[in-house]
Amino acid sequence: MIDNICDCDVIHQDVVDYVSERMPQNDEFYALANLYKMFADSTRIKILWALSCKDMCVCDLAALLGMTKSAISHQLKSLRLSNLVRPDRQGKIVFYSLADDHVKEIFIKGFEHTHHQ
Amino acid sequence: MIDNICDCDVIHQDVVDYVSERMPQNDEFYALANLYKMFADSTRIKILWALSCKDMCVCDLAALLGMTKSAISHQLKSLRLSNLVRPDRQGKIVFYSLADDHVKEIFIKGFEHTHHQ
DNA sequence: ATTACAGTTGAATGATTGTTCAACTGTTTA
DNA sequence: TAAACAGTTGAACAATCATTCAACTGTAAT
């Protein structure tokens, strides 16, 4: 049974039970939401898209998107912490690349959706 | 060429040009970000997941997630405006369902990613 | 060693957003 | 027609977050 914090009676107990039994853990939903949060900002998607095209350094990304190095760097940090991009220092310059192909697939699925309606 | 609002010189002009030529329109990135925003909250993903399991009414979703009808209804409105769910009024009760299978595919791709590392 | 520059960082700020609350619709039933 | 209830709505509040700013690291070059 489910805690009745809600402000109504269950209408279809069978449906609620059926879905409730199959629900993934709370943590899984939080993890998934956090993953999608990374794609939920246009600056971050642009960065991911650009990196899916070519590996790039912070300065080039800043120039490409018309933003400051700082702003880009902050977003790259979020993406790094979410394991979506990987840094590769070569002297003074840090090149960033997508962490894996899964990342690319995810936003391709998204583009498909936005185009298909 | 790109407006130099950024605080640095372009280091790899060829790379920036290459990526710049292939960049989708700004609107496309905004649309994509807005799509992912819908998946970027655990309550909304739970709702989408539940609906991918069975069509449900607002009360049942509220009971399932231990939240108020109001909170659920607000989120369903966002999902409706993004064309991710569809309402179907039957008397006093409004049943919600996923708008299409694409929606399901998107968060399945996400689950794959969070599980695969 | 000192200068130059790519990149990072933390605090501050303004904007966005999820939930609550209370008032409201719309449909059904008595 | 009046009561009951599923659902919606807008304003308010707190929390989250993207960007700016200024100060900082680390590497390369003179």
Side-chain angles (χ1 to χ4, degrees):
Chain A
M1 246 318 250
I2 293 136
D3 280 355
N4 245 14
I5 315 170
C6 83
D7 56 346
C8 59
D9 297 326
V10 174
I11 304 180
H12 311 91
Q13 189 67 54
D14 53 332
V15 172
V16 174
D17 287 343
Y18 178 88
V19 176
S20 186
E21 282 164 20
R22 283 158 184 78
M23 281 283 273
Q25 298 278 6
N26 240 311
D27 323 10
E28 297 215 40
F29 285 111
Y30 278 103
L32 195 52
N34 283 330
L35 172 65
Y36 282 122
K37 267 187 194 126
M38 290 301 110
F39 293 85
D41 174 79
S42 61
T43 299
R44 279 194 300 268
I45 305 200
K46 285 178 190 172
I47 292 176
L48 290 173
W49 188 91
L51 294 180
S52 81
C53 203
K54 270 208 190 306
D55 292 0
M56 296 180 80
C57 68
V58 179
C59 263
D60 290 343
L61 282 168
L64 176 70
L65 305 184
M67 297 176 68
T68 61
K69 285 182 295 178
S70 178
I72 298 292
S73 185
H74 275 296
Q75 298 296 9
L76 283 170
K77 186 177 190 180
S78 301
L79 294 169
R80 233 187 304 132
L81 291 175
S82 299
N83 292 308
L84 295 179
V85 303
R86 252 191 327 235
D88 173 25
R89 175 149 229 152
Q90 289 180 18
K92 283 202 288 190
I93 299 173
V94 179
F95 288 96
Y96 279 89
S97 58
L98 291 193
D100 62 70
D101 287 341
H102 236 134
V103 180
K104 197 170 180 175
E105 283 177 40
I106 290 175
F107 67 75
I108 284 172
K109 259 273 173 280
F111 266 126
E112 275 176 32
H113 182 87
T114 54
H115 285 144
H116 254 295
Q117 54 167 13
Chain B
M1 247 314 250
I2 293 135
D3 281 354
N4 246 14
I5 315 168
C6 83
D7 56 347
C8 60
D9 298 328
V10 174
I11 303 179
H12 311 92
Q13 188 68 55
D14 54 332
V15 172
V16 174
D17 288 344
Y18 178 88
V19 176
S20 187
E21 282 164 20
R22 285 159 182 77
M23 282 282 273
Q25 299 279 7
N26 241 311
D27 324 10
E28 298 216 38
F29 284 112
Y30 278 104
L32 196 49
N34 282 330
L35 172 65
Y36 283 122
K37 269 189 193 126
M38 290 300 112
F39 293 85
D41 173 78
S42 61
T43 299
R44 279 194 299 269
I45 305 200
K46 285 177 191 172
I47 291 175
L48 291 172
W49 188 92
L51 294 180
S52 80
C53 205
K54 271 207 190 304
D55 293 1
M56 294 179 81
C57 67
V58 179
C59 263
D60 290 342
L61 283 167
L64 176 71
L65 304 184
M67 297 177 69
T68 61
K69 286 182 295 179
S70 178
I72 298 293
S73 184
H74 274 296
Q75 298 297 11
L76 283 170
K77 186 177 189 178
S78 301
L79 294 169
R80 232 187 306 133
L81 291 174
S82 298
N83 292 310
L84 295 179
V85 303
R86 252 192 325 234
D88 172 25
R89 175 149 228 153
Q90 291 180 16
K92 282 202 289 190
I93 299 173
V94 178
F95 287 95
Y96 277 89
S97 58
L98 291 191
D100 63 70
D101 287 341
H102 235 135
V103 179
K104 197 170 180 175
E105 283 176 41
I106 289 175
F107 66 75
I108 285 173
K109 259 271 172 282
F111 266 126
E112 276 176 31
H113 183 86
T114 54
H115 285 146
H116 254 296
Q117 54 168 12

